[in-house]
Amino acid sequence: MRRSAFLPLVLLASPAAAQPASPEQRMGATVNEVSQQRMVRDVQKLVSFGTRHTLSSQTDKRRGIGASVRWAEGELKRVGLQTLQTCDTVSGRRVPTPTRVCNAVGIQRGTERPNDVVIITGHIDSRVTDVMNATADAPGANDDASGVAAVLESARVLSKRKFPGTIVYAALSGEEQGLLGGKILADYAKAQGWNVVANLNNDIIGNSCGSDGVCNDRVVRVFSEGPRWQGREELAAAQRSLGGENDSPSRNISRFLDRLAERLPGIGLDVMQVWRNDRFGRGGDHTEFLNNGFPAVRFSVAVENYDQQHQDLRTEGGKVYGDTIDKMDFPYLTKVVKLNTAALMALASAPPPPEPKAEGAVSTDTTVKVPVVVPATDHRLYRRRTDASQWERVPQNVVQDLAVTVRETPNAATGRRDGRGSGATVGYVLKGVRVDDWVFGASSVSADGWESPVASAVPGGAFGPYVAPPSSAAK
Ligand SMILES: [Zn+2]
């Protein structure tokens, strides 16, 4: 083989082969498999069910919510996922008679930490002007066949690969009738005892122009709720004393997604973080995950078009109304789905975030203690001015290592010795850094370089297992 004509090629190839691919390289290669054509077909198929209203037919083979949910489940099964329908019989303000509401769910079980779960959702149900009209054609192309296409396409791309954590793909029903499917799946997740690292909810992600002609196809909005308060008086008191006004796990998922888009410049999409749970006066299924104490964010387009959602199909005064497929921007949808796919990959590959603690009142130094969540994981220290939007790494020159301490205490939240609350804790002294002036945080990093979202060292800022709110606050 010496001196063969192929030698230069071999020489070029071997250093690359010896180096394991970085997370950025692996995400970049993976998201390139996201197919615009397949998502066009998904949205066409979903529109073809005529209406997908939650109160429409469950038995008709071709029209209505039942046929569409069965089709979505079939698509998830076809790529080899374990599938199920999570259902409940519901009645309420927008459901006058008890009605079966079912979600199509696919599960990609993690190879190492199956209980750490990231969930992508979109809603399959659709509506027109009258939210109770279950018979008129309601194509729901952008709202929210676009989100269901994100669920199905990310499943097609990622199901070929293996990840340490679990990914759940779900097409939810009943959103327009009151976030019914979101509640069913969030309750299911809680009953299963899943540690939900994040819910990525995609609702209206496939248009780029508003009715006033304003267009933006380079930005996606990510909505995230602030601190988890949920009726816990002691948490409110601790936040008043120690800070955390801007540090919920959901908000750190938002920061994580913002950085992730910057790490993948090839996809051509920026994140605009919106620091509120949802659009003004409006809602989405991620709220039901928040209600169960799980971190959750909503992806939505930069510019909404109000003539093309929740509208009867009609032309009025020369203006065309309705949520039809011809109004969608599929290259834009593809970019949003690429970001989602990379995020699912990153969140299912990284170890869960740690639960760091900061100390240092009345001191010129700050001490940060980080429990090691999973063996063989490293972690990184971060800080953020209280009025800054993004984390920065703590400069190495201020960090002094403390001895590693081992504590055998059970997990404070669950009372179990589950590897979360016991084991090694690493401490650092940050010389000359005043605890008053910063928020501190830490991330977990796997041996092959996957980094978790940053968890904040403030009350309620860690991701860890959730403590149920008092029932009086659970509405
Ligand atoms: Zn919607």
Side-chain angles (χ1 to χ4, degrees):
M1 281 294 286
R2 270 172 290 171
R3 298 265 162 203
S4 102
F6 296 106
L7 192 57
L9 269 182
V10 172
L11 279 175
L12 276 175
S14 17
Q19 287 268 326
S22 69
E24 282 75 10
Q25 288 166 326
R26 290 171 61 187
M27 285 188 287
T30 303
V31 303
N32 279 339
E33 294 177 25
V34 171
S35 162
Q36 181 180 317
Q37 287 71 28
R38 282 196 297 251
M39 288 192 288
V40 171
R41 286 205 292 274
D42 285 338
V43 177
Q44 283 171 341
K45 180 68 187 179
L46 285 160
V47 169
S48 79
F49 292 105
T51 177
R52 305 186 306 279
H53 194 280
T54 304
L55 307 180
S56 64
S57 174
Q58 309 214 8
T59 52
D60 193 295
K61 293 262 190 302
R62 285 190 302 277
R63 185 178 176 90
I65 187 68
S68 66
V69 170
R70 286 190 294 276
W71 172 78
E73 187 189 359
E75 289 299 296
L76 295 169
K77 196 188 283 290
R78 213 149 62 85
V79 296
L81 296 176
Q82 173 198 340
T83 67
L84 72 157
Q85 291 192 13
T86 53
C87 303
D88 197 7
T89 301
V90 179
S91 51
R93 197 163 55 85
R94 291 179 171 185
V95 186
T97 56
T99 301
R100 194 97 172 128
V101 175
C102 291
N103 304 317
V105 180
I107 300 177
Q108 183 173 2
R109 198 72 64 184
T111 54
E112 291 168 31
R113 297 184 301 274
N115 207 45
D116 293 333
V117 180
V118 54
I119 304 176
I120 181 171
T121 51
H123 72 84
I124 196 165
D125 62 306
S126 63
R127 63 170 284 189
V128 289
T129 306
D130 174 5
V131 70
M132 301 307 291
N133 183 341
T135 54
D137 275 352
N142 193 20
D143 185 11
D144 183 32
S146 67
V148 174
V151 169
L152 299 179
E153 183 60 12
S154 60
R156 291 184 191 114
V157 171
L158 295 176
S159 57
K160 293 183 238 163
R161 296 166 166 84
K162 290 197 184 314
F163 302 102
T166 292
I167 306 175
V168 170
Y169 308 87
L172 303 175
S173 186
E175 197 269 352
E176 306 289 9
Q177 310 310 113
L179 315 183
L180 307 176
K183 177 164 172 39
I184 290 166
L185 185 60
D187 288 349
Y188 181 84
K190 195 172 181 178
Q192 296 293 308
W194 288 348
N195 176 42
V196 178
V197 177
N199 165 229
L200 308 180
N201 187 37
N202 285 269
D203 196 348
I204 309 181
I205 56 167
N207 76 282
S208 54
C209 291
S211 53
D212 58 355
V214 171
C215 296
N216 187 337
D217 66 353
R218 299 193 61 81
V219 168
V220 65
R221 292 182 295 172
V222 172
F223 293 85
S224 65
E225 189 183 68
R228 295 196 280 192
W229 130 255
Q230 293 164 311
R232 288 187 287 164
E233 296 288 348
E234 79 289 356
L235 177 59
Q239 284 180 341
R240 214 163 279 142
S241 171
L242 302 169
E245 293 85 348
N246 197 6
D247 280 84
S248 66
S250 301
R251 199 144 288 169
N252 278 326
I253 294 290
S254 167
R255 294 184 178 105
F256 179 81
L257 294 168
D258 182 32
R259 276 280 150 81
L260 187 66
E262 289 166 13
R263 287 163 64 195
L264 297 166
I267 67 173
L269 190 68
D270 283 333
V271 166
M272 173 176 163
Q273 300 191 65
V274 184
W275 285 351
R276 55 189 352 158
N277 177 42
D278 208 321
R279 301 145 309 149
F280 195 90
R282 305 173 70 195
D285 284 313
H286 58 295
T287 302
E288 292 294 347
F289 287 85
L290 294 165
N291 284 342
N292 273 355
F294 300 134
V297 297
R298 176 190 182 132
F299 286 88
S300 211
V301 292
V303 188
E304 273 184 77
N305 190 317
Y306 309 112
D307 298 339
Q308 292 163 13
Q309 49 178 265
H310 302 186
Q311 294 284 354
D312 291 333
L313 301 177
R314 67 193 192 281
T315 304
E316 212 174 86
K319 196 182 254 185
V320 180
Y321 291 87
D323 188 357
T324 50
I325 191 167
D326 56 299
K327 303 295 193 307
M328 285 178 63
D329 179 342
F330 279 95
Y332 175 77
L333 172 64
T334 303
K335 293 196 277 190
V336 178
V337 175
K338 283 181 174 180
L339 181 59
N340 269 272
T341 302
L344 292 172
M345 191 175 179
L347 291 165
S349 299
E355 297 183 38
K357 297 224 170 356
E359 298 160 9
V362 209
S363 165
T364 56
D365 303 335
T366 295
T367 302
V368 179
K369 292 180 179 168
V370 184
V372 178
V373 179
V374 178
T377 58
D378 200 356
H379 53 262
R380 292 182 186 144
L381 296 184
Y382 287 86
R383 67 182 185 183
R384 207 182 74 241
R385 287 284 181 192
T386 59
D387 63 346
S389 65
Q390 261 300 1
W391 295 104
E392 61 182 55
R393 293 285 294 277
V394 171
Q396 272 305 309
N397 62 348
V398 305
V399 180
Q400 288 183 354
D401 290 7
L402 282 180
V404 170
T405 59
V406 177
R407 57 192 174 103
E408 296 290 342
T409 51
N411 185 311
T414 64
R416 293 194 300 266
R417 292 174 197 278
D418 56 5
R420 290 278 160 78
S422 59
T425 294
V426 188
Y428 300 94
V429 173
L430 313 181
K431 293 298 288 181
V433 178
R434 271 71 169 173
V435 74
D436 292 352
D437 302 341
W438 301 90
V439 183
F440 296 91
S443 65
S444 301
V445 185
S446 69
D448 52 352
W450 292 98
E451 184 175 10
S452 75
V454 176
S456 305
V458 293
F463 283 70
Y466 177 67
V467 180
S471 54
S472 62
K475 3 180 133 134

